[in-house]
Amino acid sequence: MSASRRSGTTDELGPDEPGRDGSDGSGSDLLAALLDGMDAALCAFDADGVVTHWNREAERILGWSAEEAVGRRGLAGWAVRSADAEEVESRLLSAMHAPGRQVHEFALLTKDGGRVLVRTQSAAVRGPDGKPAGVYCAFSEVHTQIDLERSIALSEALFEDAGWGVVLVDADLRPAVVNAHAARALGTGRTSVLGRPLGELLAQGVEELESALQHVLAQGAPPEPAEVWVSVRSPEGERRRCWRSGFLRLASPLAEEPVPLGVGWLFQDVTESKQAEQEASLLRFRAQQLHRASRAAAECEDPGEAATVHLDFALAGFADHALIDRVAQGSPAGEQDGGPVRLVRVAATPSGAPGPSRLSGRAGLPVRYAEGHPALQCVERAGALRASAGAAAPEEARAWAVSRQWPPDAVHALCAVLRSRGRTLGVVTFLRGAGRSAFERADAMYAEDVAVRIAAALDLAELTGRG
């Protein structure tokens, strides 16, 4: 129905509608408003093929106003080429005698002589007696319909077949729709995750993720994807994952002003690649530290000082404290007669404020290591050894460190044997506090590289009489 209805024209209502006989026209006014507000173009025909309705969207697409369209018999010569009119009209009017809706595509003529390919849905209009009284036809330009279908198909594909996680989060930051990939990443089912707070799904990283979602709701999507580290709860325990995430603010297209409906969150698990990047970066840094330490140690006249230089360079980003213990004179080095090994402290980092390592042990007094101490085991085995207080309470961890003659804040230890010219010279011990993770195998390999350089310096000090 056209806007001409509002200016007093009533022809587009059709002969049997309210308002023709002077009765209350509120019903026809409502119908006119509904038809004019439709997003799809609509026209209707009576049983004789006369146009009875023509709304604003039909006028926009074809250019023919309601005054020009309503009352015409058929579409020939004005809305359809005369050569095509018989086929088009027969297909449209056949809907009066067919069940349900029929879908067709054909070309219509515009008022200025152009042609528009449209997709139509037509269905019968029944009279009070249930018999066909006409047919209505809703149509839209094919490209518009295709765009809509593509949008729907994209949504379906994202939530069914996407190789990354897709989550729609409502304004309360609770998942409203979750695709299969995201459900697997969260370690739960697609329906069981809906409406639950993110804190129930993630053990760590919730605050960062919720902050990002709130920012998107308030400010819009960020210009670049963000990498978020989270810990996902699972039956096997917590799994640390890195998700590269993109965010989109969702707003209602039906509101006059954008109303946030929530956030579209798309993410991909990049944990393995991030770990590989971190490991490569760590290896580069450690190689650079070894190179710098070698150059600095080469300028030291005292080989003992060169040993502490290697120790100080190794500490950066690796440990909080470090100790060098040397096998005491006359003490077996683990491969001799099997007697008890005695170790003398040669150098140590300050246990209080940070600073360079200090040489010590001039008196040659052995360190009071109890039997089974990690440093003694390291010497006996001639290999690296790791030890940790684990998840002990702070007081227990403190007692654990003190009993081993280490700084009281030490929680993790790594001992590497000092070997030079086929002899075991001692052991270097690296210590970490509670704020760091336990030493791993890669850390042990790095400690062994440092130990080789320290052992060479100590061996040189012995040969020159400075040890």
Side-chain angles (χ1 to χ4, degrees), residues 60-382:
R60 186 194 67 79
I61 294 176
L62 299 180
W64 300 98
S65 67
E67 292 88 342
E68 296 170 310
V70 173
R72 289 179 179 261
R73 181 180 295 275
L75 303 174
W78 62 286
V80 176
R81 291 194 313 170
S82 299
D84 301 329
E86 182 177 354
E87 179 187 358
V88 170
E89 291 176 6
S90 64
R91 291 166 68 183
L92 288 176
L93 296 178
S94 66
M96 282 193 295
H97 307 287
R101 292 178 297 176
Q102 293 188 337
V103 178
H104 303 286
E105 288 185 7
F106 44 75
L108 296 181
L109 292 178
T110 63
K111 188 175 181 179
D112 58 7
R115 301 183 72 193
V116 178
L117 184 62
V118 299
R119 178 173 295 175
T120 67
Q121 294 187 40
S122 54
V125 176
R126 306 287 175 179
D129 56 359
K131 295 181 179 180
V135 61
Y136 77 84
C137 172
F139 63 91
S140 61
E141 297 175 82
V142 167
H143 71 82
T144 303
Q145 184 71 19
I146 291 176
D147 288 344
L148 175 61
E149 292 178 0
R150 283 175 179 156
S151 297
I152 295 173
L154 174 61
S155 299
E156 292 294 332
L158 285 175
F159 286 106
E160 294 295 337
D161 306 320
W164 54 87
V166 182
V167 181
L168 297 189
V169 182
D170 63 22
D172 295 326
L173 306 186
R174 296 175 183 246
V177 184
V178 178
N179 76 340
H181 188 97
R184 288 193 298 270
L186 292 168
T188 184
R190 293 184 63 179
T191 56
S192 60
V193 70
L194 303 182
R196 294 172 59 187
L198 293 173
E200 294 183 4
L201 306 171
L202 304 175
Q204 295 180 5
V206 178
E207 295 81 3
E208 183 179 0
L209 180 57
E210 289 185 342
S211 176
L213 294 172
Q214 289 172 345
H215 172 81
V216 174
L217 282 173
Q219 304 293 332
E224 296 288 339
E227 292 175 352
V228 182
W229 282 93
V230 299
S231 291
V232 182
R233 292 189 175 95
S234 69
E236 296 78 21
E238 295 181 4
R239 294 181 295 113
R240 184 77 168 158
R241 313 305 297 170
C242 180
W243 291 340
R244 181 170 292 146
S245 303
F247 303 95
L248 299 170
R249 181 166 62 175
L250 306 178
S252 172
L254 303 179
E256 294 183 2
E257 297 182 1
V259 178
L261 296 178
V263 176
W265 170 31
L266 292 82
F267 66 90
Q268 190 173 28
D269 194 320
V270 294
T271 307
E272 294 183 1
S273 61
K274 288 300 295 182
Q275 289 177 340
E277 290 176 10
Q278 292 174 351
E279 291 173 1
S281 176
L282 184 61
L283 287 175
R284 287 195 300 270
F285 174 74
R286 290 179 175 177
Q288 291 171 357
Q289 287 297 97
L290 291 173
H291 175 73
R292 294 189 184 106
S294 297
R295 290 177 61 89
E299 302 301 323
C300 296
E301 295 182 6
D302 183 357
E305 182 183 354
T308 62
V309 167
H310 284 292
L311 193 66
D312 291 335
F313 272 91
L315 276 179
F318 183 67
D320 298 316
H321 307 288
L323 315 168
I324 299 178
D325 297 323
R326 183 163 184 175
V327 175
Q329 294 291 337
S331 173
E335 64 267 11
Q336 303 291 327
D337 54 8
V341 177
R342 292 178 294 133
L343 298 175
V344 176
R345 179 67 43 82
V346 174
T349 55
S351 58
S357 303
R358 296 192 296 263
L359 292 171
S360 60
R362 298 296 184 183
L365 298 177
V367 185
R368 295 180 295 107
Y369 285 151
E371 184 179 354
H373 190 281
L376 298 178
Q377 295 183 47
C378 178
V379 172
E380 293 169 355
R381 298 177 184 178

